[in-house]
DNA sequence: CGCTATATTGAACTCTGTCAACCGTGGTGG
DNA sequence: CCACCACGGTTGACAGAGTTCAATATAGCG
């Protein structure tokens, strides 16, 4: 029944085979561990990142654009609020959280990103990043220099439209989050959260029925606008009601329909 | 002290002078009252809508793009969820709310838009709108056909970047909303809401100290994730504490710093 | 002028936050 | 190797913020 792959560090992620590419441009402004990227044209995550119908010419251009990846260790930041915005990122392996914070120390997690998902779209507006992006586990990202991406988008109609779609998708994602925070009870929030994660894992070829939460209860709470104790209580309640089978961070969704009805 | 213009229907909005332009293209898919637009090149709201440093050639192209405006009466919708996405809109006069809703009737207002602000950016992602845009009063919008805008953006680097900035700005706006909904008390939310509105009115040349709330207490509550009674109580509390002087929908901010400290 | 929709206020109740105790795990160092 | 500690998670008791329900007041509109 659970033959699909489960997202777990012990299992290999669907990472593209390493494929050395010579960097044509020094990318000196990114102060971090970097290594040549695999080619987008052969990347197994391409279907998640990019429009489906790119021509081979467009793929070649992408390959010359996305030249490097970066490793971010668990707990380290990919970028911080007020960092100058230079690049977009796509998660290759691992996972991230994005955090905005008030002066008074109040934090709000605005999203979790898993492989194939974009990171950094908030920086375009003011030219500086507007949140911290922190790795939940040892992770890697593809680096997409935004200036060059903009140039490519002026040549390729499809790429241009795709970038607009990505940004619009982020807007839509956030408005459903606002709905969640504004109108739902704690129980409904956690159910919606689990179903959303489940769908995203499934879309990427992992099991949607069983997965590993890399974030702590506190982080889940911070994302859903509630306290860790409440998160824990709701997990227990779902367990009692036979909806999920939580085993620490390992979650098995038993009754997805029941969760949706909450 | 209150010499600045107050946003009020009885006072003239800073609307551009009507300027007949012959429509070059039938825009048949928009089923609504339409009339020729004024020129962007002479619009008093241009500084709000558009990048400051457009060349005259770029302005001319804009003028051929934004050919029509549309009147939307109070309570009517500019677009609805699932409507096919064709155009972006910019509020010319009046104001709007955007609403997302759950199947179970739960509604969440995701934003209020005043003159100069964009509407419809959420539709790019899926090609259909993702919320309802409803006029809070008799209003008018500029219609910007998105396909043509994309074409223009492939020619003009500045326009391209501006559109990315607009979308990114929407993402940033929504994440601060999420912070508000996720971490703040009812009191803090209303204070933040009033200060945000105040800043936006001021940026558009209205008074930031005194303005007219076109939305009901219920709509404010729906936006801020609380019930109308709570909104009302918080207004009363602010009044008692000498922070604002509410007179029904007319609001005077007495102590902005005090509001910020809440 | 009167009706309806909107706003205010009060009282009781409920959900979630707060504080605190407790458990299990994994890492560290004696 | 085991004791110890730090950390994350679970659970309980209680308090407080915000909701719900209801009565009343006010404003907007025909």
């Amino acid at each position: 029944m659970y033959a699909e792959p489960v997202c777990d560090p012990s299992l290999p992620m669907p990472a593209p085979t390493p494929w050395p590419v010579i960097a044509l441009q020094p990318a000196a402004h990114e102060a971090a561990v970097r290594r040549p990227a695999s080619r987008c044209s052969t990347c197994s995550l391409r279907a998640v990142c990019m429009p489906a119908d790119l021509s081979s010419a467009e793929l070649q251009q992408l390959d010359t654009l996305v030249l490097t990846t970066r490793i971010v260790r668990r707990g380290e930041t990919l970028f911080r609020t007020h960092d100058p915005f230079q690049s977009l990122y796509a998660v290759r392996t691992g996972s991230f959280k994005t955090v905005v914070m008030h002066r008074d120390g109040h934090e709000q997690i605005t999203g979790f990103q898993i492989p194939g998902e974009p990171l950094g779209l908030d920086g375009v507006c003011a030219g500086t990043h507007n949140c911290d992006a922190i790795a939940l586990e040892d992770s890697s990202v593809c680096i997409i220099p935004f200036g060059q991406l903009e140039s490519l988008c002026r040549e390729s109609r499809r790429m241009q439209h795709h970038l607009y779609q990505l940004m619009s998708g982020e807007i839509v994602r956030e408005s459903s989050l606002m709905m969640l925070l504004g109108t739902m009870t704690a129980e409904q929030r956690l159910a919606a959260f689990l179903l959303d994660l489940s769908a995203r894992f499934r879309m990427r070829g992992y099991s949607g029925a069983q997965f590993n939460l890399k974030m702590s209860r506190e982080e889940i709470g911070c994302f859903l606008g509630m306290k860790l104790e409440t998160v824990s209580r709701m997990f227990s309640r779902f367990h009692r009601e036979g909806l999920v089978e939580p085993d620490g961070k390992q979650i098995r969704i038993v009754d997805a329909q029941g969760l949706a009805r909450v």
Side-chain angles (χ1 to χ4, degrees), chain A:
Chain A
M1 179 156 181
Y2 295 109
E4 306 146 279
V6 172
C7 186
D8 186 279
S10 61
L11 295 169
M13 299 289 286
T17 44
W19 201 308
V21 171
I22 289 118
L24 298 176
Q25 300 209 350
H29 54 266
E30 295 261 355
V33 184
R34 279 161 157 271
R35 45 183 65 191
S38 304
R39 286 193 171 139
C40 288
S41 49
T42 60
C43 177
S44 64
L45 285 170
R46 200 185 75 223
V48 180
C49 275
M50 290 292 156
D53 55 352
L54 287 185
S55 70
S56 62
E58 286 166 323
L59 275 176
Q60 260 181 348
Q61 289 187 290
L62 257 188
D63 283 342
T64 67
L65 190 65
V66 185
L67 290 173
T68 48
T69 64
R70 181 170 152 191
I71 307 270
V72 187
R73 301 269 160 219
R74 180 196 158 102
E76 290 179 352
T77 62
L78 174 59
F79 53 79
R80 280 196 171 81
T81 309
H82 301 132
D83 278 0
F85 167 72
Q86 249 125 9
S87 305
L88 253 32
Y89 305 91
V91 180
R92 267 165 63 93
T93 62
S95 50
F96 287 82
K97 62 175 175 182
T98 48
V99 187
V100 297
M101 53 183 93
H102 230 187
R103 31 227 132 80
D104 54 9
H106 268 170
E107 292 192 356
Q108 170 75 26
I109 293 180
T110 55
F112 297 110
Q113 293 77 27
I114 62 176
E117 296 184 335
L119 220 31
L121 290 168
D122 60 289
V124 183
C125 172
T128 58
H129 283 289
N130 188 61
C131 61
D132 294 4
I134 301 171
L136 295 174
E137 58 192 304
D138 292 355
S139 303
S140 64
V141 295
C142 298
I143 300 176
I144 308 163
F146 187 70
Q148 289 170 250
L149 180 61
E150 271 187 307
S151 302
L152 175 51
C153 286
R154 252 172 290 124
E155 292 163 29
S156 160
R157 195 191 176 87
R158 262 186 292 242
M159 279 302 300
Q160 180 201 26
H161 194 72
H162 180 65
L163 182 49
Y164 287 127
Q165 282 183 316
L166 267 188
M167 300 190 79
S168 178
E170 193 69 7
I171 294 170
V172 170
R173 188 189 68 79
E174 286 191 348
S175 35
S176 66
L177 235 332
M178 285 174 51
M179 147 100 79
L180 179 145
L181 290 169
T183 71
M184 293 182 169
T185 66
E187 190 178 26
Q188 295 172 318
R189 292 180 202 193
L190 186 60
F193 170 69
L194 291 175
L195 290 173
D196 176 58
L197 263 188
S198 167
R200 283 156 66 196
F201 278 126
R202 199 171 338 106
M203 205 182 309
R204 278 151 192 83
Y206 299 111
S207 166
Q210 188 169 8
F211 45 84
N212 203 299
L213 295 179
K214 295 299 174 187
M215 64 295 281
S216 68
R217 299 288 190 259
E218 179 163 26
E219 287 168 325
I220 295 173
C222 184
F223 178 61
L224 297 178
M226 56 212 231
K227 295 286 134 165
L228 75 182
E229 292 95 331
T230 310
V231 176
S232 189
R233 276 183 241 277
M234 292 307 146
F235 267 121
S236 304
R237 184 183 297 179
F238 287 162
H239 189 197
R240 265 200 310 280
E241 292 169 353
L243 300 175
V244 305
E245 201 75 51
D247 176 20
K249 292 185 175 300
Q250 190 72 26
I251 301 290
R252 230 186 74 204
I253 296 187
V254 179
D255 181 2
Q257 306 212 342
L259 271 184
R261 270 194 304 272
V262 163

